[in-house]
Amino acid sequence: PKDAVRILVTGAAGQIGYALAPMIARGIMLGPDQPVILHLLDIQPVAGSLKGVRMELIDAAFPLLQGILATTDVNEACKGVNIAVMIGGFPCKEGMERRDVMHKNVPIFKAQASALEQHAAPDCKILVVANPANTNALILKEFAPSIPVKNITCLTRLDHNRALSHISERLNVDVRDVKNVNIWGNHSSTQYPDANYATAATDSGEKSVRELVADDHWIDSEYINSVRERGSEIIKARKLSSALSAASAACDHVHDWIIGTAKGTWVSMGVSSDGSYGIQPDIIYSFPVTCQKGEWSIVQGLKINEFSREKMDTSMKELTREGSLAYSCLNQ
Ligand code: NAX
């Protein structure tokens, strides 16, 4: 039998944490033959609720779950973890500005960066979910300089999955038959859902989504806006931000990163830019990536038209501004 993998979930008493922990314990993240030990971190005011989550996980008697550490001590939580899913922080509530969220979350990430650096397994892979996700990942990278940059990523897979499902609904095909959509940039309203390379499997083989949709206005406008605005739509409908879909996307992200992407298929991940596609190096930007043997690589050679270029640059500029704002939050 395989050794158990230790997985840290921060914000574990929150709504995404509550949806994610059982998915991990059921083997959805790492597969049906991989035992796991969950490290659940939250803060003192919700310690009671965290304890309840732990009790429920015990009661579910998951065969793969070999242990649960539930704590409000960040150093204890990070000890020996192989994977860290960073959800803990303040959610963006209706009417809240990104800047307000940043002020609350940036100092948290600075502290957690140090804890991970000191206590996590040296090859720990990190996924930042808490918003502003790209910039929190940037802060983490900055304040955990000994963690390899390749191991720090942020979640844009929810946007990616939304993009797939939008196309599947529009074309009335199974979502698994759609592939190679892509989210460029920030997990924010400037993200650019790009369907130019997307394909869908049809009875007569794989076809370009743009050709199948046969409505450029939809691809270049409605589709982009509805993927971007889906998070707000959910908040309006639920009075709470996305949780089960976010947890599922976090599982997909880590799963594909570690187990690998299917041949000929890519996914979107927020990763440290290496300058590909003219994106400013070192910012955390969402790119199309393929994964193999636990390593992601940015898909190369995609043709970028003027329309895409402008949208990719807009999101890059927003990220640069967000980065500066984050540093100013730290200095206040
Ligand atoms: P909740 O408020 O339900 O849960 C957050 C949890 O984090 C709470 O239990 C809180 O006590 C805990 N927490 C706060 N400070 C902490 C700290 N210093 N250490 C550990 N835990 C701490 O929010 P939820 O709906 O679960 O969302 C969590 C985060 O995910 C938010 O920042 C949200 O904006 C972000 N999202 C990111 C998405 C993405 O695609 N990247 C999509 C979903 C979600 O909106």
Side-chain angles (χ1 to χ4, degrees):
K2 291 181 173 175
D3 287 342
V5 170
R6 290 181 181 272
I7 305 168
L8 167 66
V9 176
T10 75
Q15 45 154 6
I16 299 176
Y18 189 75
L20 179 64
M23 291 183 189
I24 299 172
R26 262 198 189 282
I28 293 172
M29 180 181 271
L30 297 180
D33 60 347
Q34 177 58 65
V36 293
I37 296 173
L38 279 170
H39 289 217
L40 307 178
L41 175 73
D42 213 297
I43 49 176
Q44 194 53 42
V46 295
S49 171
L50 183 65
K51 194 173 156 199
V53 173
R54 179 172 178 276
M55 284 157 67
E56 282 207 72
L57 287 166
I58 291 170
D59 293 353
F62 295 112
L64 290 171
L65 187 56
Q66 289 196 347
I68 310 166
L69 169 75
T71 178
T72 56
D73 176 338
V74 65
N75 292 320
E76 191 188 8
C78 291
K79 211 154 267 167
V81 295
N82 309 101
I83 294 168
V85 187
M86 314 299 287
I87 308 168
F90 206 87
C92 189
K93 299 218 169 111
E94 203 173 354
M96 233 176 122
E97 293 223 358
R98 226 175 150 72
R99 171 187 286 267
D100 306 330
V101 186
M102 184 110 69
H103 267 280
K104 297 203 180 277
N105 283 318
V106 166
I108 298 177
F109 272 82
K110 185 183 173 191
Q112 291 179 346
S114 308
L116 280 168
E117 187 168 44
Q118 286 170 49
H119 303 290
D123 62 347
C124 179
K125 287 183 158 61
I126 301 168
L127 165 62
V128 177
V129 176
N131 277 318
N134 303 55
T135 299
N136 286 340
L138 182 77
I139 295 292
L140 217 156
K141 181 170 83 140
E142 191 73 19
F143 290 97
S146 70
I147 297 179
V149 166
K150 278 228 140 193
N151 290 6
I152 300 175
T153 65
C154 83
L155 188 72
T156 53
R157 183 61 176 268
L158 175 55
D159 308 296
H160 180 101
N161 287 349
R162 286 169 176 161
L164 289 174
S165 55
H166 267 65
I167 290 170
S168 129
E169 286 206 311
R170 167 79 195 205
L171 293 176
N172 199 18
V173 298
D174 287 348
V175 72
R176 64 171 178 201
D177 289 334
V178 184
K179 66 177 194 181
N180 299 354
V181 296
N182 172 42
I183 306 296
W184 298 101
N186 198 359
H187 169 68
S188 76
S189 57
T190 67
Q191 66 175 254
Y192 171 40
D194 179 357
N196 282 315
Y197 325 98
T199 60
T202 67
D203 291 342
S204 47
E206 218 163 77
K207 294 243 161 70
S208 142
V209 162
R210 189 179 277 278
E211 280 167 31
L212 289 169
V213 169
D215 178 352
D216 285 346
H217 177 74
W218 189 81
I219 294 277
D220 294 334
S221 175
E222 282 173 59
Y223 161 78
I224 295 175
N225 291 333
S226 55
V227 173
R228 283 175 172 173
E229 288 160 14
R230 186 68 162 187
S232 316
E233 288 295 309
I234 306 262
I235 294 177
K236 266 193 218 131
R238 266 178 29 98
K239 312 288 177 227
L240 286 169
S241 50
S242 333
L244 87 85
S245 53
S248 182
C251 265
D252 288 344
H253 176 114
V254 175
H255 176 276
D256 290 353
W257 188 3
I258 289 176
I259 314 248
T261 44
K263 199 166 181 284
T265 303
W266 69 61
V267 294
S268 303
M269 275 170 79
V271 299
S272 183
S273 169
D274 61 356
S276 292
Y277 299 102
I279 299 305
Q280 186 183 313
D282 302 324
I283 62 172
I284 306 282
Y285 190 94
S286 179
F287 285 97
V289 301
T290 55
C291 304
Q292 236 189 337
K293 296 189 181 134
E295 293 254 334
W296 52 262
S297 338
I298 296 172
V299 174
Q300 297 296 330
L302 299 176
K303 281 213 176 72
I304 307 294
N305 62 26
E306 224 170 281
F307 179 87
S308 297
R309 183 78 260 162
E310 194 227 308
K311 292 195 157 31
M312 288 161 68
D313 287 350
T314 301
S315 203
M316 169 173 78
K317 285 178 194 144
E318 181 186 50
L319 277 169
T320 316
R321 277 198 308 275
E322 245 181 57
S324 316
L325 184 61
Y327 290 114
S328 73
C329 291
L330 285 170
N331 295 330
Q332 272 169 21

